Amino acid sequence: MIALKIAFWICIALVVYTYVGYAILLWLLLKVKRLFTKPRPLPVMPLNEDLWPTVTLMICAYNERDVIAEKMENIRQLRYPRSRLCVIWVTDGSTDDSNELLRQYPEVTLVFSPERRGKAAAMQHGISVSTASIVVFTDANTLLNEGALVEIVRQMQRPGVSCVSGEKRVKARAQLAEGDSQAAAEGEGLYWRYESTLKRWDSELYSAMGAAGELFAVKMEHYRQPPSNALLDDFMMSMLIVSDGHRIAYTSEAYASEYGSASMADESKRKRRIAAGGLQSIWWLRSLMNPFRHPRVFFQFISHRVLRWSITPFALAALLPLNIALVLMHAGTVYVIIAVMQLLFYAAAFLGWQLALQGRKNKWLYVPYYFLFMNFNVFLGIPYLFSHGKGGMWEKVRRA
C-alpha cells in the first residue's frame, strides 16, 4: 500500500504542478523580479522610415485559394513602409489555382514547389529567397492586426531578443458553428487565453518557450534551420534560437486571429500533430534540460513543455485507477474524498461532451471536457509520431 500511496501522490503533484503550480510559481517569481528590476520601455522607431529594418512577411500554403483574397486585403492594411516590406507566398505542392490568384498581386513574390515536401521544407525554400533582416511567418488563414509588424520589429530591438512570438486569438463563427464545432472553438479559445498568459509571464521572466506558427518572427542573423521532418517547425525554429543563448519575446500587441477548428475531429487531428511534434522536439532539444548548460532555460522548458507533452498525461491517466485501488484497500477518508472529486470531474467532462454533440454552449463544462480531450490526444500522438515523424508533412485542419 505504501508504494501505491507514493505513486498516487507523485501523480497528483505532477498534474497539479503542470497545470496550476507552475503558473503560480511563475507569478510569484515575477513579483520578486519586479521588486529589483524595472521594465525597459520599447525602443522608438526612427522617424526616417528608410532606416527601418527590412522585413519579409512569409506565408507557406497548401491549396489555400479560398483565403487568398482576404489574406492579401489584410496584408495591404498592415502599417509598415512598403519599401521595407517583401511579401513571399510559398505554395508547397498546391494543386488548386493558388498560383494564378497570387500572380494577380504585384507586391507578392511567389515561390512554388511542385512537390509537396512539408511546411519545414517550404519555410526553408522561402528563406532561401528572402534577403530581409527579419522574417515574419504567418498562416494563410489568419488575420493580423494593423500594427503587428511595427510591434514585432520594436520587440526585436530588445537586448538578447532574436525571435518574437505574437498572440494567437481564436474566434468562433456562431452562424456557421454546428454540433461540436462550437465546442472546438470554445475549448481552443479558453486554452489559448491560459497559454497566452503563461507565454507572457515566461517572456518576462526570461524567454517564452517557443513560438506558434500563426505569427512569429526571426532575426535572420541568428536563424538556425530546423530538421526538415519537424512536425512543429515553428516551435523548433524558435527554440533552436533559445538553445543558442538568445531570447523569445512574447507580445499580445501583435496578434493573429483565426476561427476555431470546424469540429472536435479536426481539433483532434491538430492536437495529435502537436503532441507528436512535442515528443519529437523534446528529444531534439533534450540539451535544454541540462541545468549546467542552460541554467536559465531548463526550469521553464521542463515546467511548461516537457511535463505537458510527456510525463503528466500518463500521471493523469493513472490517478483514477490508483485512487480506486486505495479506496478499496481502505487507505483513508482523504482518498475517498479525492476519488469523489475525480468522478465528479469526469462526469462534468462527459456532460460537456454530450452538450457539445447537441451544439449547446456551456463553457464551464467545456473546461473539463477540453482538458481531458487535450490530454487524451497526447496518447494518440505517439502512433502519429511513428507514422508521420519521418516526413514532416502537415495535414490541413478545417476551420469553422
Side-chain angles (χ1 to χ4, degrees):
M1 185 185 292
I2 293 177
L4 280 180
K5 285 183 178 180
I6 292 172
F8 175 76
W9 288 108
I10 288 175
C11 288
I12 279 191
L14 283 169
V15 173
V16 171
Y17 176 76
T18 301
Y19 292 106
V20 181
Y22 177 59
I24 294 172
L25 181 57
L26 204 53
W27 180 77
L28 291 173
L29 289 172
L30 287 177
K31 286 288 186 182
V32 174
K33 181 180 179 180
R34 289 166 188 163
L35 292 175
F36 301 97
T37 308
K38 291 184 178 181
R40 295 184 180 180
L42 278 176
V44 178
M45 299 298 291
L47 293 176
N48 184 354
E49 292 183 343
D50 291 336
L51 299 178
W52 289 28
T54 52
V55 170
T56 287
L57 182 64
M58 187 176 299
I59 305 100
C60 298
Y62 170 71
N63 288 353
E64 295 284 8
R65 70 172 312 280
D66 293 339
V67 300
I68 286 174
E70 186 179 23
K71 182 70 174 181
M72 287 306 302
E73 179 62 28
N74 176 243
I75 289 173
R76 286 176 169 178
Q77 293 175 0
L78 298 177
R79 295 198 309 268
Y80 205 82
R82 298 296 126 175
S83 62
R84 311 299 287 171
L85 177 64
C86 174
V87 180
I88 294 180
W89 279 76
V90 184
T91 55
D92 181 53
S94 292
T95 55
D96 60 4
D97 58 348
S98 296
N99 293 339
E100 288 71 23
L101 292 174
L102 288 167
R103 289 191 182 101
Q104 298 175 17
Y105 297 91
E107 67 267 42
V108 169
T109 298
L110 178 61
V111 179
F112 173 60
S113 171
E115 178 188 358
R116 191 177 179 208
R117 298 182 296 165
K119 191 174 181 182
M123 294 166 86
Q124 183 58 30
H125 194 181
I127 286 172
S128 68
V129 174
S130 172
T131 58
S133 60
I134 296 172
V135 175
V136 180
F137 298 92
T138 182
D139 288 343
N141 62 345
T142 61
L143 301 180
L144 311 183
N145 62 306
E146 291 184 0
L149 297 184
V150 176
E151 172 68 14
I152 285 170
V153 170
R154 292 178 70 196
Q155 291 285 346
M156 280 291 190
Q157 312 310 310
R158 289 187 180 277
V161 171
S162 292
C163 178
V164 176
S165 174
E167 182 172 278
K168 174 182 175 178
R169 298 187 180 181
V170 180
K171 52 185 178 179
R173 180 178 277 172
Q175 65 268 31
L176 293 182
E178 297 178 0
D180 66 348
S181 59
Q182 187 69 17
E186 285 287 345
E188 190 179 353
L190 286 169
Y191 169 75
W192 275 104
R193 285 194 287 275
Y194 167 74
E195 182 66 14
S196 295
T197 300
L198 284 186
K199 285 185 175 183
R200 187 171 66 252
W201 290 350
D202 270 336
S203 177
E204 187 179 347
L205 184 65
Y206 175 64
S207 171
M209 290 295 103
E214 287 78 11
L215 178 60
F216 77 105
V218 171
K219 191 179 289 184
M220 293 312 296
E221 64 179 299
H222 297 142
Y223 164 77
R224 191 139 65 90
Q225 182 179 347
S228 60
N229 62 327
L231 293 170
L232 294 184
D233 38 76
D234 42 17
F235 179 77
M236 277 301 302
M237 189 184 296
S238 58
M239 289 305 292
L240 285 172
I241 287 173
V242 173
S243 70
D244 287 338
H246 311 290
R247 298 193 298 122
I248 303 171
Y250 180 81
T251 175
S252 59
E253 299 301 313
Y255 57 86
S257 302
E258 67 176 359
Y259 293 110
S261 300
S263 69
M264 292 305 288
D266 286 284
E267 181 68 357
S268 178
K269 186 189 300 184
R270 196 177 70 86
K271 286 296 183 187
R272 285 198 302 269
R273 179 179 61 81
I274 291 173
L279 290 169
Q280 186 187 56
S281 301
I282 287 171
W283 176 250
W284 285 336
L285 297 168
R286 59 192 181 276
S287 65
L288 291 178
M289 291 183 275
N290 186 335
F292 301 103
R293 290 184 61 181
H294 299 279
R296 289 184 172 184
V297 176
F298 85 99
F299 156 69
Q300 290 178 280
F301 183 56
I302 291 173
S303 300
H304 194 164
R305 296 300 183 187
V306 176
L307 292 178
R308 191 182 298 186
W309 283 338
S310 59
I311 302 171
T312 300
F314 290 91
L316 178 64
L319 263 181
L320 188 57
L322 284 172
N323 201 169
I324 291 173
L326 287 167
V327 169
L328 294 175
M329 296 169 69
H330 305 288
T333 306
V334 65
Y335 297 100
V336 176
I337 295 172
I338 295 174
V340 171
M341 292 172 64
Q342 285 202 73
L343 291 172
L344 288 173
F345 183 82
Y346 280 97
F350 178 78
L351 185 56
W353 173 51
Q354 291 299 306
L355 290 175
L357 294 177
Q358 300 169 28
R360 295 165 63 185
K361 182 178 179 180
N362 187 315
K363 68 168 60 179
W364 300 112
L365 293 176
Y366 286 156
V367 170
Y369 169 38
Y370 194 81
F371 176 77
L372 293 179
F373 167 85
M374 184 174 62
N375 279 277
F376 176 71
N377 276 280
V378 172
F379 295 95
L380 298 181
I382 297 171
Y384 187 101
L385 177 60
F386 286 103
S387 60
H388 293 74
K390 293 183 179 179
M393 201 72 69
W394 87 92
E395 297 179 73
K396 287 184 65 174
V397 173
R398 294 182 305 120
R399 293 285 174 177

